[in-house]
Amino acid sequence: MAKVKIQGHASGTGILTVTAPNTSTDRTITLPDSTDTLIGAATTDALTTRINATGGRKNIVNNGAFQIAQRGTSSTVSGYGSVDRWKSVNNVGVTHTQEAITSGDAYDAGFRHAFKLTNTATVDTAASHYVSCYQYIEAQDLATSGWDYTDASSYITISFWIKSSVAGTYYVNPMTEDGTQKVYPQSFSLSAATWTKVEKSYPGHADLTFNNDTGRGMALHISPFYGTDFTSGVSTSAWSTYASGDRFPDFAQRWGSAGTGATWEITGVQLELGSVATDFEHRSYGEELALCQRYFQYGSTSSTYCGFSNGSSQAYFTLHLTTPLRTTPTLTRSGSGTRNWTAVKHNGNNNSTADPSVVTYEAGAVDMACRQTGHSGLSDMYATNLYTGSYYIIIDAEL
Amino acid sequence: MVITNAKYAEATKEENETKSIYATIDGVASSVPMDTANRHYAEILKQVADGDITIAEAD
């Protein structure tokens, strides 16, 4: 039989109390058989809190592992364009991509994709230059997350892997959107071209507001650079009120100032309840895709949408969705220039280049009434199908 | 967000109601629903209020 030894810590005077269960049945606590401990010495959370934090759906961020890129794997658009839910808004040239990870610490942690920014123009000395990288988090997902966000003793924690070609001090900054907008940039240091795990905890604050609605609740920034038009002496250890010129402290280095080709890669982004970063919640591709489709979906080329003619020029049709959208979406089509959709009617067909539009979308619905104008010669109230040809529908309900 | 060529879509037949705006957004021809929760419509309203763009009447 193993021995039981309880040895007091040399500097401690506290009393260790072991309470027997209030039952006649024996209970067993099995200790680790390696050098592991039941709870890490550096943490202060109760063991039950940590166990709860590691189980179930916990990551409030969508596409934190960047598996999903419905729009494409590379874009030079300032805004959404490559990986889902994340945007890079810039006023200097930047290409953003879904980058494959093939080795290194982030790979070993289970990540196969990153969001990568590469500047294609030099970030010069202009105070107005910025290169951003962030995700808008829906307000109701924060309001109902369990974070008692007006209580300074209640925490959320942000963790992520990051690698930059430019060493320096950077900031992770959750900018709130509802009520009095607040910022709280916390700094971290990077060595050049080295994957680094960053973990930062944020307490609640009496002035924080997250509406229980479908609007923007927070812009979670992990951005490489903002010029001095947007920076000041804003605190890195407390929530401050947002102003355009008070978003970040001054950046000590200008990412991208040495020329083109500076890189910024992030992956494994997790925002969770509690004051401790727990293991990343790896989701399947299908789960993550379904979460992203609340904000963006697209159809197929050569699809046919069923509907009817309304007057002689309008073809009404139904778009079926994979999941309800956040809100009534903007509709666009793939391709550019003159793009015909064909109304196939009982006695022939007719083309229109007009952009299709939403007639009605009811919140929570999985289909949507749409129309395309610009036809001619349709017969009122006849069954009419719309053939998409080479130009598929794009449905955008992003924040 | 660069918005050009903003124009109201023609009214729907049943309700005789204008429900969307055609616009070119960052170079992409789009139809934007007149729903303030839609980010493109919110931006159109902002740029109209700022005097940066106007919305043409429907054909």
Side-chain angles (χ1 to χ4, degrees):
Chain A
M1 174 184 172
K3 295 177 180 177
V4 175
K5 179 180 181 181
I6 298 175
Q7 182 173 346
H9 192 279
S11 62
T13 58
I15 298 171
L16 171 66
T17 302
V18 179
T19 304
N22 185 21
T23 174
S24 58
T25 304
D26 291 346
R27 303 295 189 208
T28 302
I29 298 173
T30 303
L31 299 174
D33 60 359
S34 66
T35 55
D36 286 346
T37 57
L38 282 175
I39 184 168
T43 62
T44 55
D45 274 1
L47 181 58
T48 49
T49 302
R50 299 201 65 202
I51 291 171
N52 290 339
T54 56
R57 175 58 52 80
K58 61 184 177 181
N59 191 359
I60 300 170
V61 167
N62 294 143
N63 205 20
F66 302 98
Q67 302 124 290
I68 313 300
Q70 294 187 86
R71 294 175 180 83
T73 56
S74 180
S75 174
T76 57
V77 170
S78 173
Y80 296 104
S82 57
V83 294
D84 278 53
R85 302 294 353 269
W86 290 87
K87 63 193 305 190
S88 179
V89 178
N90 321 292
N91 60 2
V92 294
V94 168
T95 297
H96 48 103
T97 58
Q98 182 196 42
E99 188 74 6
I101 302 175
T102 57
S103 63
D105 290 345
Y107 180 92
D108 294 340
F111 300 104
R112 297 296 179 267
H113 291 102
F115 188 29
K116 182 177 182 179
L117 279 55
T118 306
N119 70 315
T120 57
T122 302
V123 178
D124 62 23
T125 56
S128 62
H129 275 179
Y130 63 91
V131 178
S132 72
C133 170
Y134 59 97
Q135 177 176 134
Y136 280 122
I137 297 173
E138 200 167 323
Q140 62 183 349
D141 291 339
L142 292 159
T144 63
S145 65
W147 182 27
D148 188 1
Y149 49 83
T150 59
D151 183 348
S153 63
S154 181
Y155 286 80
I156 55 169
T157 296
I158 300 165
S159 56
F160 54 93
W161 285 92
I162 185 164
K163 182 169 74 171
S164 171
S165 64
V166 180
T169 300
Y170 298 93
Y171 304 95
V172 51
N173 193 354
M175 298 184 182
T176 70
E177 294 279 328
D178 287 325
T180 301
Q181 292 178 263
K182 310 292 280 189
V183 299
Y184 190 164
Q186 291 198 48
S187 66
F188 56 90
S189 297
L190 297 180
S191 301
T194 304
W195 279 113
T196 302
K197 179 82 179 289
V198 176
E199 301 176 356
K200 299 292 179 183
S201 293
Y202 290 83
H205 185 281
D207 292 344
L208 293 182
T209 300
F210 298 107
N211 297 332
N212 190 21
D213 64 19
T214 60
R216 294 171 178 172
M218 173 190 291
L220 175 55
H221 273 263
I222 309 172
S223 295
F225 182 71
Y226 271 80
T228 53
D229 280 356
F230 310 98
T231 64
S232 66
V234 64
S235 174
T236 58
S237 59
W239 291 99
S240 303
T241 297
Y242 168 90
S244 181
D246 299 326
R247 304 182 198 201
F248 294 90
D250 292 341
F251 282 69
Q253 65 291 320
R254 299 180 74 85
W255 179 91
S257 63
T260 61
T263 59
W264 181 260
E265 294 174 77
I266 61 170
T267 193
V269 185
Q270 180 154 282
L271 171 62
E272 61 188 310
L273 188 63
S275 59
V276 178
T278 66
D279 292 347
F280 184 81
E281 178 198 347
H282 290 277
R283 296 174 185 147
S284 71
Y285 180 88
E287 285 179 292
E288 199 66 68
L289 176 61
L291 294 172
C292 293
Q293 286 176 329
R294 174 171 171 76
Y295 305 90
F296 186 90
Q297 299 179 27
Y298 63 95
S300 293
T301 56
S302 302
S303 276
T304 300
Y305 300 124
C306 299
F308 64 95
S309 52
N310 194 338
S312 61
S313 64
Q314 298 186 22
Y316 277 55
F317 62 99
T318 299
L319 266 182
H320 294 279
L321 306 169
T322 59
T323 192
L325 298 167
R326 181 188 66 84
T327 191
T328 312
T330 296
L331 299 184
T332 60
R333 286 177 295 167
S334 62
S336 60
T338 301
R339 293 161 293 166
N340 281 314
W341 272 11
T342 303
V344 182
K345 52 185 182 173
H346 68 291
N347 59 350
N349 60 68
N350 179 260
N351 291 335
S352 171
T353 61
D355 291 306
S357 59
V358 177
V359 176
T360 303
Y361 178 64
E362 306 288 354
V366 290
D367 61 16
M368 188 164 55
C370 302
R371 67 173 177 166
Q372 187 186 31
T373 61
H375 292 280
S376 61
L378 303 182
S379 303
D380 192 26
M381 293 299 165
Y382 269 71
T384 302
N385 294 327
L386 264 180
Y387 175 66
T388 65
S390 301
Y391 310 108
Y392 61 82
I393 193 76
I394 297 169
I395 304 164
D396 186 334
E398 257 297 354
L399 281 162
Chain B
M1 194 179 294
V2 179
I3 299 173
T4 56
N5 305 321
K7 182 174 74 172
Y8 288 107
E10 59 188 274
T12 56
K13 191 174 178 185
E14 289 79 10
E15 305 102 325
N16 191 30
E17 188 178 346
T18 301
K19 295 192 170 187
S20 8
I21 293 170
Y22 297 125
T24 302
I25 302 174
D26 293 331
V28 179
S30 309
S31 72
V32 179
M34 295 169 66
D35 177 344
T36 54
N38 178 289
R39 67 190 170 102
H40 295 123
Y41 185 57
E43 181 65 21
I44 288 172
L45 291 181
K46 177 180 180 298
Q47 293 195 19
V48 168
D50 291 345
D52 297 331
I53 63 170
T54 57
I55 306 172
E57 294 302 317
D59 291 333

mmCIF file of all heavy atoms in Angstrom, chain A residues 243-267:
data_model
loop_
_atom_site.group_PDB
_atom_site.id
_atom_site.type_symbol
_atom_site.label_atom_id
_atom_site.label_comp_id
_atom_site.label_asym_id
_atom_site.label_seq_id
_atom_site.Cartn_x
_atom_site.Cartn_y
_atom_site.Cartn_z
ATOM 1 N N ALA A 243 -12.713 56.476 -28.387
ATOM 2 C CA ALA A 243 -12.765 57.625 -29.288
ATOM 3 C C ALA A 243 -11.916 57.242 -30.485
ATOM 4 O O ALA A 243 -11.004 56.411 -30.364
ATOM 5 C CB ALA A 243 -12.235 58.889 -28.625
ATOM 6 N N SER A 244 -12.196 57.819 -31.632
ATOM 7 C CA SER A 244 -11.482 57.409 -32.838
ATOM 8 C C SER A 244 -9.970 57.506 -32.662
ATOM 9 O O SER A 244 -9.227 56.659 -33.141
ATOM 10 C CB SER A 244 -11.923 58.260 -34.028
ATOM 11 O OG SER A 244 -11.255 57.842 -35.190
ATOM 12 N N GLY A 245 -9.522 58.528 -31.933
ATOM 13 C CA GLY A 245 -8.093 58.718 -31.735
ATOM 14 C C GLY A 245 -7.549 58.035 -30.504
ATOM 15 O O GLY A 245 -6.369 58.200 -30.162
ATOM 16 N N ASP A 246 -8.395 57.282 -29.817
ATOM 17 C CA ASP A 246 -7.977 56.614 -28.564
ATOM 18 C C ASP A 246 -8.261 55.116 -28.623
ATOM 19 O O ASP A 246 -8.757 54.524 -27.670
ATOM 20 C CB ASP A 246 -8.740 57.198 -27.371
ATOM 21 C CG ASP A 246 -8.479 58.678 -27.189
ATOM 22 O OD1 ASP A 246 -7.356 59.112 -27.474
ATOM 23 O OD2 ASP A 246 -9.411 59.386 -26.755
ATOM 24 N N ARG A 247 -7.939 54.493 -29.728
ATOM 25 C CA ARG A 247 -8.243 53.066 -29.867
ATOM 26 C C ARG A 247 -7.151 52.187 -29.281
ATOM 27 O O ARG A 247 -7.425 51.139 -28.700
ATOM 28 C CB ARG A 247 -8.417 52.706 -31.344
ATOM 29 C CG ARG A 247 -9.461 53.542 -32.031
ATOM 30 C CD ARG A 247 -9.622 53.103 -33.468
ATOM 31 N NE ARG A 247 -10.295 54.128 -34.254
ATOM 32 C CZ ARG A 247 -10.917 53.910 -35.387
ATOM 33 N NH1 ARG A 247 -10.947 52.705 -35.897
ATOM 34 N NH2 ARG A 247 -11.494 54.897 -36.047
ATOM 35 N N PHE A 248 -5.893 52.596 -29.495
ATOM 36 C CA PHE A 248 -4.736 51.807 -29.070
ATOM 37 C C PHE A 248 -3.697 52.756 -28.478
ATOM 38 O O PHE A 248 -3.719 53.959 -28.763
ATOM 39 C CB PHE A 248 -4.079 51.113 -30.272
ATOM 40 C CG PHE A 248 -4.921 50.055 -30.931
ATOM 41 C CD1 PHE A 248 -5.779 50.380 -31.979
ATOM 42 C CD2 PHE A 248 -4.838 48.730 -30.524
ATOM 43 C CE1 PHE A 248 -6.536 49.402 -32.600
ATOM 44 C CE2 PHE A 248 -5.592 47.743 -31.141
ATOM 45 C CZ PHE A 248 -6.441 48.077 -32.173
ATOM 46 N N PRO A 249 -2.737 52.215 -27.726
ATOM 47 C CA PRO A 249 -1.528 52.999 -27.441
ATOM 48 C C PRO A 249 -0.744 53.154 -28.740
ATOM 49 O O PRO A 249 -0.977 52.419 -29.706
ATOM 50 C CB PRO A 249 -0.759 52.118 -26.447
ATOM 51 C CG PRO A 249 -1.730 51.098 -25.970
ATOM 52 C CD PRO A 249 -2.729 50.898 -27.069
ATOM 53 N N ASP A 250 0.200 54.078 -28.755
ATOM 54 C CA ASP A 250 1.057 54.195 -29.939
ATOM 55 C C ASP A 250 1.807 52.887 -30.161
ATOM 56 O O ASP A 250 2.318 52.280 -29.209
ATOM 57 C CB ASP A 250 2.075 55.321 -29.751
ATOM 58 C CG ASP A 250 1.405 56.685 -29.720
ATOM 59 O OD1 ASP A 250 0.251 56.795 -30.195
ATOM 60 O OD2 ASP A 250 2.040 57.628 -29.208
ATOM 61 N N PHE A 251 1.845 52.453 -31.412
ATOM 62 C CA PHE A 251 2.598 51.236 -31.738
ATOM 63 C C PHE A 251 4.096 51.566 -31.747
ATOM 64 O O PHE A 251 4.511 52.549 -32.372
ATOM 65 C CB PHE A 251 2.166 50.674 -33.089
ATOM 66 C CG PHE A 251 0.868 49.911 -33.038
ATOM 67 C CD1 PHE A 251 -0.345 50.557 -32.812
ATOM 68 C CD2 PHE A 251 0.848 48.532 -33.212
ATOM 69 C CE1 PHE A 251 -1.538 49.845 -32.763
ATOM 70 C CE2 PHE A 251 -0.343 47.818 -33.166
ATOM 71 C CZ PHE A 251 -1.542 48.468 -32.936
ATOM 72 N N ALA A 252 4.886 50.736 -31.086
ATOM 73 C CA ALA A 252 6.326 50.976 -31.005
ATOM 74 C C ALA A 252 7.022 50.718 -32.332
ATOM 75 O O ALA A 252 8.119 51.198 -32.573
ATOM 76 C CB ALA A 252 6.938 50.089 -29.917
ATOM 77 N N GLN A 253 6.408 49.920 -33.178
ATOM 78 C CA GLN A 253 6.995 49.600 -34.478
ATOM 79 C C GLN A 253 5.912 49.773 -35.539
ATOM 80 O O GLN A 253 4.729 49.691 -35.252
ATOM 81 C CB GLN A 253 7.556 48.170 -34.520
ATOM 82 C CG GLN A 253 6.521 47.058 -34.384
ATOM 83 C CD GLN A 253 5.895 46.961 -33.007
ATOM 84 O OE1 GLN A 253 6.584 47.106 -32.014
ATOM 85 N NE2 GLN A 253 4.583 46.751 -32.932
ATOM 86 N N ARG A 254 6.325 50.025 -36.757
ATOM 87 C CA ARG A 254 5.380 50.161 -37.873
ATOM 88 C C ARG A 254 5.457 48.891 -38.700
ATOM 89 O O ARG A 254 6.320 48.739 -39.569
ATOM 90 C CB ARG A 254 5.704 51.392 -38.726
ATOM 91 C CG ARG A 254 5.615 52.706 -37.967
ATOM 92 C CD ARG A 254 5.952 53.879 -38.864
ATOM 93 N NE ARG A 254 4.881 54.164 -39.805
ATOM 94 C CZ ARG A 254 3.825 54.927 -39.526
ATOM 95 N NH1 ARG A 254 3.703 55.483 -38.331
ATOM 96 N NH2 ARG A 254 2.903 55.145 -40.437
ATOM 97 N N TRP A 255 4.518 47.992 -38.446
ATOM 98 C CA TRP A 255 4.465 46.735 -39.207
ATOM 99 C C TRP A 255 4.309 47.086 -40.691
ATOM 100 O O TRP A 255 3.422 47.873 -41.052
ATOM 101 C CB TRP A 255 3.283 45.919 -38.714
ATOM 102 C CG TRP A 255 3.080 44.609 -39.406
ATOM 103 C CD1 TRP A 255 3.597 43.412 -39.035
ATOM 104 C CD2 TRP A 255 2.282 44.363 -40.572
ATOM 105 N NE1 TRP A 255 3.171 42.434 -39.900
ATOM 106 C CE2 TRP A 255 2.370 42.993 -40.860
ATOM 107 C CE3 TRP A 255 1.501 45.168 -41.406
ATOM 108 C CZ2 TRP A 255 1.701 42.402 -41.935
ATOM 109 C CZ3 TRP A 255 0.848 44.596 -42.485
ATOM 110 C CH2 TRP A 255 0.956 43.222 -42.728
ATOM 111 N N GLY A 256 5.130 46.533 -41.526
ATOM 112 C CA GLY A 256 5.017 46.786 -42.962
ATOM 113 C C GLY A 256 5.756 48.011 -43.445
ATOM 114 O O GLY A 256 5.658 48.363 -44.622
ATOM 115 N N SER A 257 6.518 48.661 -42.567
ATOM 116 C CA SER A 257 7.197 49.887 -42.993
ATOM 117 C C SER A 257 8.497 49.608 -43.731
ATOM 118 O O SER A 257 9.032 50.489 -44.403
ATOM 119 C CB SER A 257 7.476 50.780 -41.777
ATOM 120 O OG SER A 257 8.352 50.121 -40.884
ATOM 121 N N ALA A 258 9.016 48.396 -43.623
ATOM 122 C CA ALA A 258 10.295 48.082 -44.277
ATOM 123 C C ALA A 258 10.110 47.746 -45.749
ATOM 124 O O ALA A 258 11.077 47.458 -46.452
ATOM 125 C CB ALA A 258 10.979 46.922 -43.556
ATOM 126 N N GLY A 259 8.874 47.759 -46.217
ATOM 127 C CA GLY A 259 8.587 47.408 -47.608
ATOM 128 C C GLY A 259 7.429 46.431 -47.650
ATOM 129 O O GLY A 259 6.749 46.213 -46.646
ATOM 130 N N THR A 260 7.227 45.856 -48.800
ATOM 131 C CA THR A 260 6.130 44.902 -48.912
ATOM 132 C C THR A 260 6.570 43.540 -48.377
ATOM 133 O O THR A 260 7.756 43.279 -48.188
ATOM 134 C CB THR A 260 5.692 44.761 -50.372
ATOM 135 O OG1 THR A 260 6.805 44.272 -51.127
ATOM 136 C CG2 THR A 260 5.227 46.097 -50.929
ATOM 137 N N GLY A 261 5.573 42.696 -48.120
ATOM 138 C CA GLY A 261 5.879 41.319 -47.738
ATOM 139 C C GLY A 261 5.906 41.041 -46.254
ATOM 140 O O GLY A 261 6.202 39.910 -45.847
ATOM 141 N N ALA A 262 5.588 42.043 -45.419
ATOM 142 C CA ALA A 262 5.462 41.755 -43.988
ATOM 143 C C ALA A 262 4.256 40.836 -43.791
ATOM 144 O O ALA A 262 3.247 40.969 -44.488
ATOM 145 C CB ALA A 262 5.286 43.035 -43.192
ATOM 146 N N THR A 263 4.348 39.924 -42.857
ATOM 147 C CA THR A 263 3.262 38.955 -42.665
ATOM 148 C C THR A 263 2.758 38.980 -41.228
ATOM 149 O O THR A 263 3.483 39.321 -40.295
ATOM 150 C CB THR A 263 3.724 37.520 -42.999
ATOM 151 O OG1 THR A 263 4.836 37.181 -42.155
ATOM 152 C CG2 THR A 263 4.116 37.414 -44.459
ATOM 153 N N TRP A 264 1.495 38.581 -41.092
ATOM 154 C CA TRP A 264 0.787 38.570 -39.808
ATOM 155 C C TRP A 264 -0.147 37.367 -39.860
ATOM 156 O O TRP A 264 -1.031 37.302 -40.718
ATOM 157 C CB TRP A 264 -0.008 39.870 -39.676
ATOM 158 C CG TRP A 264 -0.797 40.090 -38.436
ATOM 159 C CD1 TRP A 264 -2.136 39.904 -38.251
ATOM 160 C CD2 TRP A 264 -0.302 40.600 -37.194
ATOM 161 N NE1 TRP A 264 -2.501 40.256 -36.985
ATOM 162 C CE2 TRP A 264 -1.404 40.695 -36.302
ATOM 163 C CE3 TRP A 264 0.965 40.985 -36.734
ATOM 164 C CZ2 TRP A 264 -1.271 41.153 -34.991
ATOM 165 C CZ3 TRP A 264 1.093 41.450 -35.442
ATOM 166 C CH2 TRP A 264 -0.015 41.534 -34.598
ATOM 167 N N GLU A 265 0.059 36.396 -38.989
ATOM 168 C CA GLU A 265 -0.746 35.181 -39.026
ATOM 169 C C GLU A 265 -1.337 34.923 -37.648
ATOM 170 O O GLU A 265 -0.611 35.008 -36.639
ATOM 171 C CB GLU A 265 0.112 33.986 -39.426
ATOM 172 C CG GLU A 265 0.649 34.049 -40.844
ATOM 173 C CD GLU A 265 1.607 32.917 -41.138
ATOM 174 O OE1 GLU A 265 1.153 31.790 -41.366
ATOM 175 O OE2 GLU A 265 2.823 33.171 -41.133
ATOM 176 N N ILE A 266 -2.614 34.597 -37.619
ATOM 177 C CA ILE A 266 -3.248 34.226 -36.349
ATOM 178 C C ILE A 266 -4.060 32.947 -36.546
ATOM 179 O O ILE A 266 -4.550 32.659 -37.640
ATOM 180 C CB ILE A 266 -4.174 35.337 -35.801
ATOM 181 C CG1 ILE A 266 -5.320 35.633 -36.767
ATOM 182 C CG2 ILE A 266 -3.387 36.593 -35.496
ATOM 183 C CD1 ILE A 266 -6.389 36.548 -36.180
ATOM 184 N N THR A 267 -4.193 32.189 -35.476
ATOM 185 C CA THR A 267 -5.079 31.035 -35.477
ATOM 186 C C THR A 267 -5.409 30.665 -34.036
ATOM 187 O O THR A 267 -4.853 31.227 -33.088
ATOM 188 C CB THR A 267 -4.454 29.833 -36.218
ATOM 189 O OG1 THR A 267 -5.469 28.845 -36.443
ATOM 190 C CG2 THR A 267 -3.320 29.207 -35.427
#
